[in-house]
Amino acid sequence: MFAVLQIPRLALQAVLRGDVGGDLREDRVEGTRAEAPRYGDRLEGHCGVARAPALLVVVDAEARKPVVLEMTEGAEREGVHAGLSVPQALARCPGLVVRHRSPQAEASLEELLFALAYSLSPRVEREGTGEVLVDLRGAKLEESLQRCERIVAELAGLSVGVGVGVAESCVVAGLAARTVSETGGGVLLVGSASWQGAACVRSVGLEAFMDEMPIGNVGGSDRLLDVLGKWGVRTVSAFAKLRRSAVGARLGVEGLTLWDRVTGREQRVVALAELPAEFEESWEFEYDVDSVDPLLFLLRRFLDTLCVRMRMAHKVAAFARVDLGLAYGEPIVVEQKLPEPTADGAALFSLLASRLEAVETDSPVARMALYLEVVDFKQRQLGLFESSLKNPYRFTQTLSRVAGIVGEDRVGRPALEEEGRPDGVRLEPLPASVPPVGELDLGRMFGLPLRRYRPGLRASVEFQGRQPIWIQCEKVSGFVKAARGPWLHSGHWWEEAGSWNRVEWDVELNKGGVYRICKDEQGWSVDGEY
């Protein structure tokens, strides 16, 4: 049993998925006032797949002479067909919208289709543009059809139509996929007319399907098809009823090859495949954008596609990076480390959208790319006394907004510096889970506690020899009865900026009280009282 998944009119659907907010940039004949169709103004097709706007064609802008590659059904009814030049197409349909094809968007859709097909079986091969062949031998038919239903529904949620053909022969499965694609998408099972499933799954007997299938849909040279036409053989069923020896004697090797394909005698071996390791999407704008709304629209499209691929590969994203290529100037890179690895598109969008909204540029954006660093999905159970944030993504989103106001280096939780500088703190990222409070190691605590003055009290200190004998500040003054020290501390002395150096003494005054005095770059001060 084989299955073929095909995205009909791949170039057209790829362009429509990247239609930023539905504002189609069109090339029209001067004087026409036809409105560009919006992304949401679409007819609902089979299984809920949104069809394309009424009048739109896709051309290859890099071709020497751009011609129509694909068109919507509405444009086709107006007489527009593939191969027409742009002026010829506009002459037949004045309100026509002309869009340039996007190889990057087409590649993205093909990667998505491949990942979804991989969920059916690891034996997957690319058959052609927007078409994937899956070897279902060894899998249960009912489970495979249910999974095909979910694939159609999942792509429909992404505004992508797909046709799935399932049959004993890979050739028949391909014909079934193309047939169901032309009628709105869904799943077509050839060989069983009694299947009862969802509305997206249809079944037909093999003979009935072959009787209505033109022989030209299978392939073959024009000479071969011309000979078969003169014989009156116009359907696949009629050709399959011919004897193999007679076909070989009259049509040669080409005829035998076609007969073996039609009758299912062709042995097709599908090799084991691996999913792509890169999770990246990119888009180059036809027209530079100077607002954040088109970027957010594309970001959502990117995440929808990548999250589906991650779920199929059982991966989660741990790090995200958005690259904005400007029309002029250096590109802007927005990086976001996720509080918890996830494949939730809504959580990823909320985090990255808040970061993009805070970006300010002096140049319009010409290109946008999204890269996700993925890891294996692992479930972790918290300890009995360990708690986690109720919504870590919402919390990180709030921190991103705060960082956009006060700066990235001013958001986090304080932690003591390891170099030992008094009052030396740094900001570190907040954890997604709060570990339980450990027991205090009372055995390591010794000596009198020091009550620090913040800031330290500026003081005057007099020495006799190398010992301090008298101190004075705004809170305390007197002669020194006993002193211990000095203790020298320094750090970052190898750097031009950020180095520090201080000398500390512990002194006891005649009138009572034990204090710590220190000298730094600003002079002497009373640091605290014991």
Side-chain angles (χ1 to χ4, degrees), residues 174-415:
L175 294 174
R178 300 182 192 100
T179 301
V180 75
S181 297
E182 296 173 357
T183 58
V187 183
L188 179 59
L189 172 62
V190 178
S192 176
S194 59
W195 168 260
Q196 299 294 330
C200 288
V201 178
R202 291 173 284 175
S203 60
V204 63
L206 179 60
E207 293 184 2
F209 180 76
M210 292 296 195
D211 288 340
E212 299 178 358
M213 182 61 58
I215 187 62
N217 291 0
V218 182
S221 64
D222 294 338
R223 185 190 65 83
L224 178 61
L225 296 178
D226 183 61
V227 172
L228 293 176
K230 292 178 180 179
W231 290 357
V233 178
R234 294 180 174 84
T235 64
V236 175
S237 177
F239 182 68
K241 292 178 181 179
L242 300 176
R243 288 183 301 174
R244 188 176 188 274
S245 58
V247 172
R250 291 169 174 80
L251 300 179
V253 177
E254 183 182 5
L256 283 176
T257 303
L258 182 62
W259 192 89
D260 289 341
R261 294 187 62 199
V262 168
T263 57
R265 294 194 180 186
E266 181 185 27
Q267 297 296 325
R268 180 66 182 271
V269 179
V270 182
L272 291 172
E274 294 183 0
L275 290 176
E278 297 293 333
F279 289 81
E280 185 175 359
E281 294 285 332
S282 62
W283 184 272
E284 293 187 3
F285 296 97
E286 292 184 25
Y287 300 85
D288 299 342
V289 297
D290 54 3
S291 62
V292 72
D293 291 338
L295 303 181
L296 296 181
F297 177 86
L298 275 183
L299 177 64
R300 186 69 194 191
R301 289 294 189 197
F302 289 167
L303 290 174
D304 288 342
T305 302
L306 293 178
C307 286
V308 171
R309 289 179 53 194
M310 284 193 293
R311 289 194 295 269
M312 295 301 103
H314 302 285
K315 301 285 186 179
V316 288
F319 177 82
R321 186 184 75 237
V322 179
D323 296 338
L324 300 178
L326 304 183
Y328 49 88
E330 295 295 327
I332 295 178
V333 178
V334 178
E335 297 180 343
Q336 178 66 58
K337 184 177 181 181
L338 303 180
E340 289 182 354
T342 182
D344 185 359
L348 290 170
F349 178 77
S350 63
L351 292 177
L352 295 176
S354 61
R355 297 291 303 276
L356 285 180
E357 289 174 347
V359 172
E360 296 182 359
T361 65
D362 297 330
S363 167
V365 178
R367 182 181 181 275
M368 178 178 176
L370 172 64
Y371 170 78
L372 296 182
E373 182 179 318
V374 299
V375 296
D376 293 332
F377 175 71
K378 296 180 181 179
Q379 288 186 340
R380 173 178 173 269
Q381 184 176 357
L382 297 176
L384 182 61
F385 299 102
E386 189 178 7
S387 60
S388 63
L389 297 173
K390 184 176 181 180
N391 190 337
Y393 310 107
R394 184 68 177 273
F395 180 68
T396 306
Q397 179 185 3
T398 303
L399 290 182
S400 299
R401 293 179 177 177
V402 173
I405 299 175
V406 302
E408 291 280 354
D409 56 342
R410 298 185 179 182
V411 177
R413 69 174 184 179

Side-chain angles (χ1 to χ4, degrees), residues 445-451 506-508 513-516 529-530:
M445 301 179 64
F446 57 89
L448 296 175
L450 177 65
R451 182 180 299 170
D506 288 343
V507 297
E508 180 184 2
V514 180
Y515 300 89
R516 174 176 292 180
E529 178 183 1
Y530 288 98

Side-chain angles (χ1 to χ4, degrees), residues 15-87:
V15 167
L16 291 173
R17 287 200 73 241
D19 173 22
V20 181
D23 186 14
L24 297 177
R25 306 268 186 175
E26 64 274 13
D27 301 327
R28 291 202 186 100
V29 176
E30 294 183 4
T32 60
R33 298 181 57 83
E35 290 291 335
R38 293 284 177 178
Y39 187 85
D41 298 339
R42 299 179 178 180
L43 301 175
E44 290 296 324
H46 187 68
C47 294
V49 177
R51 291 184 180 176
L55 304 174
L56 185 141
V57 296
V58 178
V59 301
D60 188 358
E62 298 181 359
R64 187 173 182 180
K65 182 180 179 182
V67 296
V68 175
L69 300 178
E70 293 178 359
M71 74 296 300
T72 59
E73 296 177 0
E76 195 171 7
R77 287 193 295 267
E78 294 292 330
V80 179
H81 57 81
L84 289 179
S85 64
V86 175

Side-chain angles (χ1 to χ4, degrees), residues 400-482:
S400 299
R401 293 179 177 177
V402 173
I405 299 175
V406 302
E408 291 280 354
D409 56 342
R410 298 185 179 182
V411 177
R413 69 174 184 179
L416 293 177
E417 293 181 349
E418 298 178 356
E419 60 184 10
R421 179 168 62 93
D423 290 337
V425 295
R426 57 182 173 82
L427 291 179
E428 63 180 15
L430 294 169
S433 61
V434 182
V437 178
E439 297 183 359
L440 297 177
D441 190 1
L442 300 179
R444 295 184 57 187
M445 301 179 64
F446 57 89
L448 296 175
L450 177 65
R451 182 180 299 170
R452 300 285 297 275
Y453 297 144
R454 290 186 173 88
L457 305 177
R458 288 299 156 193
S460 298
V461 181
E462 293 186 7
F463 278 77
Q464 185 176 15
R466 295 185 177 182
Q467 296 287 325
I469 60 173
W470 181 80
I471 66 171
Q472 180 181 7
C473 67
E474 61 180 67
K475 286 189 177 183
V476 64
S477 63
F479 287 96
V480 176
K481 179 180 178 181

